Amino acid sequence: IRPFSTATTYAVTLICTDFDCPDLSNNIGNACDDGDSNTVNDEIDANCDCIGIPMATNDEACIATELVCGVPIVQTTAGASQSLPPITCENFTAAQAFDVWFTFTADGTSSYIINDIATSDLVLEAFSSDGCGDLTSIDCADIPETIDFGVLAAGVYYVRAYAYSNFAPPYDINIQLDCVNNNAATLNGTVNWNSSCGDRPATVGFYTPGTATLVATYNTTIAANGTFSIADVATGTFDVIVKVQGYLAKGIQDVVIAAGDNSLAVGAIKNGNINNDGAVNIFDVSLINAAFNTSVGNPAYNPLADLNCDGNINIFDISILNASFNQSGATAPLN
């Protein structure tokens, strides 16, 4: 420091600030080099890792990236070539179309929405197809970069994305396909049981009628009032087996499940299957004996052996178990 005069006194303070990422001698958000020639726009992330965005490997329809419902795909247009000329979309036409491609398969009943949630100014163009070499343009979007297809006919569809710009910089893309199953079914059920037992986990199995072929299994919770609800269940006709923890399984034959809300009255279920092996037998007697004369708070208390759910394991619980003794729960195939 050079003073203005020999009579001037200065106080100097040196402030040192640590790097966000001392091991890298760098800060979060700064540019870096991840050492991978197949990535671009490398920068330090919140975990102090140098991360780049993969270069495009899907710059033709026939090597399009498969979209999965609800799963975003982050990539860049770096390395992409122009496979088709730019289109006029919403009264604007880009100077070029260095495009990347995505594909998905519609089931004929679901609704689909595709959008880019990055900040780049992109053009999206959608195509129906008879194969990746036979494309028909069906829709496009510029601002906002969202195409709401509604219900699409069953088939394979393609979407290309490219930057709306007079230049050809690498643009970051964050593409996501959202799908709505218009045939979604919900199963709303009830069981008759002791509401004092509170909530209990349960499984619900769907079987091909008259067989032991399991179609689907769903985990749910039986509320204290005996109700349960399961979303997005399979549709069709099934034999249904409901197994509540501590109770014998109950089966209902030929249950029709259609799109929308479906009701299932399971009816009364039998208590006493303490070890959940599907039968009330000597093993359950052994468990109730081990916890006999205990109450809530006692280390030996077993809530599944408290069959009347009064907080105590006593002669009343043994009486309930005796009523179900030597009985087994429903199994497939149902007779």
Side-chain angles (χ1 to χ4, degrees), residues 11 16 18 66 82 87 143-144 153 162 173 190-191 203 211 219 233 244 268 279 284 293 307 309 315 321:
C16 300
D18 291 337
E66 184 80 23
Q82 178 171 298
I87 62 165
I143 299 177
Y162 59 88
I173 296 176
T190 58
V191 298
T203 58
T211 76
N219 295 318
V233 297
V244 181
D284 301 296
N293 271 342
L307 302 186
C309 300
I315 193 65
L321 185 140

Side-chain angles (χ1 to χ4, degrees), residues 91-322:
N91 298 318
F92 294 98
T93 306
Q96 78 295 302
F98 295 95
D99 44 29
V100 290
W101 289 79
F102 306 89
T103 184
F104 66 95
T105 301
D107 60 16
T109 60
S110 297
S111 301
Y112 299 89
I113 300 173
I114 191 167
N115 63 84
D116 172 60
I117 56 178
T119 57
S120 302
D121 183 8
L122 296 176
V123 177
L124 301 179
E125 184 179 9
F127 301 83
S128 60
S129 75
D130 286 323
C132 62
D134 187 2
L135 304 175
T136 301
S137 181
I138 59 172
D139 206 346
C140 71
D142 186 358
I143 299 177
E145 293 86 354
T146 299
I147 300 177
D148 187 345
F149 296 101
V151 177
L152 287 170
V156 178
Y157 293 82
Y158 291 84
V159 176
R160 69 168 177 155
Y162 59 88
Y164 179 79
S165 171
N166 291 325
F167 307 98
Y171 272 66
D172 294 341
I173 296 176
N174 192 338
I175 289 286
Q176 180 166 313
L177 178 70
D178 293 316
C179 314
V180 177
N181 181 3
N182 296 314
N183 281 337
T186 299
L187 178 62
N188 301 306
T190 58
V191 298
N192 297 336
W193 75 330
N194 184 353
S195 61
S196 299
C197 294
D199 297 348
R200 284 277 178 94
T203 58
V204 178
F206 284 13
Y207 294 82
T208 301
T211 76
T213 303
L214 179 64
V215 176
T217 300
Y218 304 97
N219 295 318
T220 188
T221 298
I222 308 296
N225 63 2
T227 61
F228 64 92
S229 183
I230 308 171
D232 295 326
V233 297
T235 56
T237 301
F238 308 100
D239 287 348
V240 177
I241 296 179
V242 179
K243 173 69 174 77
V244 181
Q245 186 184 63
Y247 285 75
L248 292 174
K250 180 76 174 286
I252 306 95
Q253 292 179 287
D254 298 323
V255 177
V256 177
I257 305 293
D261 290 331
N262 299 267
S263 298
L264 177 66
V266 178
I269 53 177
K270 295 181 178 180
N271 207 345
N273 187 200
I274 301 171
N275 66 353
N276 290 297
D277 66 351
V280 179
N281 50 35
I282 193 64
F283 299 108
D284 301 296
V285 173
S286 177
L287 290 172
I288 205 168
N289 285 340
F292 193 72
N293 271 342
T294 63
S295 301
V296 174
N298 188 307
Y301 173 79
N302 181 349
L304 294 183
D306 186 4
L307 302 186
N308 63 357
C309 300
D310 66 352
N312 305 289
I313 299 173
N314 49 35
I315 193 65
F316 299 107
D317 302 297
I318 291 178
S319 176
I320 294 171
L321 185 140
N322 285 340

